[in-house]
Amino acid sequence: LPRTAELLVALLAVQKSGAGYVPLDPQHPAERLGYVLTDARPSLLLTTRATAEDLPGTPTLLLDDPAVSAQLATQSSEPLEVVHDGRTPAYAIYTSGSTGRPKGVVIPRAALDNFLTDMSARVP
């Protein structure tokens, strides 16, 4: 996955677009990653060249591809008009599950918003 700064920008972009995300750890076994991707059925995978080959089968946007950077540089910086509410999924996290198979838990935007509001008060 991207370096820390790139990861934060990608996460913010996903949230601002109104989409949700599923974090993947490239250190996890290929079988687990494949299961999560099959179960979550993401419409797009944001990643880098280094990890893309380990995550086949999903449309991919390579964040470190010069052609992608060039195309993004020509895009409008106008804010998106996204309509969502607190029930809109912010992300889905996969736990080990009681059966040993990963289980997806969807976290709604309201929960993420509450967490970030609380953290901004604790860590100004």
Side-chain angles (χ1 to χ4, degrees):
L1 291 179
R3 294 180 301 250
T4 303
E6 292 166 328
L7 177 60
L8 292 175
V9 170
L11 289 174
L12 181 60
V14 168
Q15 290 298 299
K16 288 183 101 28
S17 76
Y21 69 93
V22 177
L24 297 173
D25 184 344
Q27 302 301 316
H28 284 161
E31 181 180 320
R32 178 187 171 94
L33 295 173
Y35 176 83
V36 170
L37 288 170
T38 300
D39 187 62
R41 297 184 316 271
S43 56
L44 182 68
L45 182 64
L46 299 178
T47 190
T48 60
R49 292 176 202 232
T51 56
E53 62 192 37
D54 296 331
L55 303 168
T58 302
T60 302
L61 179 69
L62 298 176
L63 297 173
D64 57 350
D65 183 339
V68 170
S69 297
Q71 182 179 9
L72 291 174
T74 66
Q75 300 296 311
S76 170
S77 60
E78 292 295 317
L80 293 173
E81 301 253 352
V82 177
V83 177
H84 55 75
D85 62 30
R87 296 172 296 192
T88 302
Y91 64 96
I93 191 83
Y94 276 77
T95 66
S96 60
S98 59
T99 63
R101 291 197 62 75
K103 178 182 177 188
V105 178
V106 177
I107 308 301
R109 279 195 75 95
L112 179 60
D113 291 346
N114 287 340
F115 172 76
L116 294 173
T117 299
D118 182 65
M119 290 306 295
S120 67
R122 292 174 190 251
V123 185

